[in-house]
Amino acid sequence: MLNLLQKLRLIRAQLLWRKARKRGRTLRLRIGNVAEFLEQLNAMGIRYVVLRWFEEVPLDQESEAVFAQDIDFLMEHSRLDEVVRLASEHPGGIKCDIYSPTGKRATGYKKMPYYPPVLGDEVLEHRELYQDTFYVPKPDYFFKSLAYHLTYHKGTTSGIPSGTTAFPYCSPAKRLYGALLEALGDAVGVSALQKPYTLLSLHQYLRSVGWSMPYDLMVRWPKEKEWMAFLAQQEIANYQSHADQLPNLIVFLLREDGTASDDVKDATVQLISDHFKILRSVEFDEGMIRRVSRSVRGGNWMEHGGNEFIPPTLALICNDESPIPFSEDDPRRRKYPLISNAKVLYKNSFRKEINKRFPSGGSKRIVLHASDNSIEAQHHLEAVYGDAYPEICDALLSEL
């Protein structure tokens, strides 16, 4: 039972949280008695990790008094209310930024997931106790999550050389991130990266192990725009030739909630085939599910409170024989800046129709995801087919 002062603190914390959500900021909590706060998180069974700088977390009053950094948490989305309440019971000045796999409810970076949702959930699944006190990512996941953070979040402000003449100078950083990451790489047996690490080699490594930022998230990322544009251009160069030859290709990715039964699946496929020519229908095996969910943003594969993975299960590779140009002054462009064919937005009416015909009795189905333009279509194709991607493109060209 909360006393009056604790109730007031909780109300204040909830108001600040609401303001952060409204302004697209990250939830920041201020706590004290950090050791007890962490102990209670553990006792409550809340899944979380401290993302980095474990040795600096202040666990006594003397350490808290001189601590001037932030503590970055990754936490399960569905129990945020309990976390905010717990923080209100531990008032203090230690700043804690709270991220979740979904990035929803002010737990992302400017409304974007801090990590791709599937990868963020993976970090929470692969955690261990640090000094029997609080949870941290297991060493190999610590390496990948830190490499991701430095490559994409910090980019040219990380102090790590870019590895390309396009960015000959990187801003000095407060920490020796490169040396730290290399030491961690040695500890977990990363042999595929040559030293010194560069941002470009880290990106290529993360791509090879299924841990890079998805192209369709990269082009929407609000930070380090010039560096992200450079990386995106590297991806585009891989796809441009086939995109030019297959300009009207659209890849629809049906999720498990769009193939939940034969009736739902058949109705979804029929809606798409009424407007687009279906060239291929691809049922996903486990390898395809893993590859697509990691490398395609897909809106968000985590639903129902952020705890349930709704995987992609079927790809419909389509050609639009009568595309409608998406006007630059279309009011919908603000929400959909990357769409080139206005008919891609038929996906919204498809979702509504499926939810109308097959009410689930709970939250509405997302049903499907669609590529926004010809480059994204190629990116999605590669995600579906992996190493067979070039041969599939050649086969599609021969059929049109």
Side-chain angles (χ1 to χ4, degrees), residues 254 257-260 263-272 347-360 364-368:
L254 274 63
D257 54 2
T259 58
D263 288 343
V264 172
K265 175 183 170 182
D266 292 346
T268 306
V269 172
Q270 185 61 54
L271 286 169
I272 293 171
K347 64 185 179 182
N348 294 328
S349 62
F350 297 162
R351 289 168 180 156
K352 289 180 181 178
E353 184 62 24
I354 292 301
N355 280 295
K356 179 181 177 181
R357 289 193 206 177
F358 307 97
S360 63
K364 290 185 177 180
R365 297 181 176 95
I366 302 298
V367 181
L368 53 77

Side-chain angles (χ1 to χ4, degrees), residues 367-386:
V367 181
L368 53 77
H369 170 71
S371 55
D372 280 359
N373 50 55
S374 60
I375 294 293
E376 276 196 10
Q378 295 301 317
H379 164 244
H380 291 14
L381 269 185
E382 184 182 39
V384 171
Y385 286 104

Side-chain angles (χ1 to χ4, degrees), residues 180-343:
L180 170 68
L181 195 62
E182 287 177 10
L184 184 58
D186 288 342
V188 299
V190 174
S191 59
L193 276 165
Q194 291 187 347
K195 298 177 184 176
Y197 293 175
T198 68
L199 295 175
L200 189 57
S201 69
L202 287 169
H203 167 65
Q204 292 165 344
Y205 169 78
L206 291 170
R207 198 177 194 277
S208 73
V209 296
W211 250 84
S212 60
M213 181 177 283
Y215 164 76
D216 54 357
L217 179 57
M218 195 180 289
V219 293
R220 293 167 171 85
W221 191 253
K223 190 176 180 183
E224 276 292 297
K225 290 185 177 180
E226 291 183 0
W227 172 243
M228 285 301 184
F230 172 81
L231 290 181
Q233 196 57 48
Q234 305 298 301
E235 302 294 302
I236 290 170
N238 296 329
Y239 303 133
Q240 193 68 67
S241 176
H242 284 125
D244 289 344
Q245 296 175 78
L246 296 163
N248 298 323
L249 210 65
I250 299 175
V251 178
F252 288 94
L253 299 173
L254 274 63
R255 298 158 33 120
E256 194 172 58
D257 54 2
T259 58
S261 68
D262 287 341
D263 288 343
V264 172
K265 175 183 170 182
D266 292 346
T268 306
V269 172
Q270 185 61 54
L271 286 169
I272 293 171
S273 66
D274 286 345
H275 299 278
F276 305 95
K277 180 181 179 182
I278 299 177
L279 305 177
R280 292 276 197 288
S281 176
V282 187
E283 298 273 359
F284 287 177
D285 58 26
E286 288 300 317
M288 289 176 171
I289 290 173
R290 176 181 170 85
R291 194 163 54 237
V292 171
S293 62
R294 284 165 165 265
S295 56
V296 176
R297 173 175 165 264
N300 195 331
W301 304 113
M302 306 295 294
E303 298 295 340
H304 303 147
N307 264 2
E308 188 175 351
F309 174 47
I310 310 294
T313 55
L314 174 72
L316 296 178
I317 300 160
C318 303
N319 193 60
D320 186 4
E321 298 176 336
S322 56
I324 301 174
F326 196 38
S327 171
E328 288 296 328
D329 58 3
D330 191 305
R332 297 172 296 177
R333 183 165 286 283
R334 183 176 179 182
K335 185 176 181 180
Y336 303 102
L338 301 177
I339 286 178
S340 56
N341 177 0
K343 288 169 70 175

Side-chain angles (χ1 to χ4, degrees), residues 27-32 34 37 57-58 64 67-73 92-98 174:
L27 171 60
R28 169 164 285 185
L29 302 175
R30 291 182 181 270
I31 65 171
V34 175
F37 174 79
V57 174
E64 287 188 25
F67 186 73
Q69 306 299 322
D70 302 342
I71 303 175
D72 293 321
F73 285 95
I94 305 300
K95 294 178 287 187
C96 301
D97 288 335
I98 309 298
K174 295 179 181 179

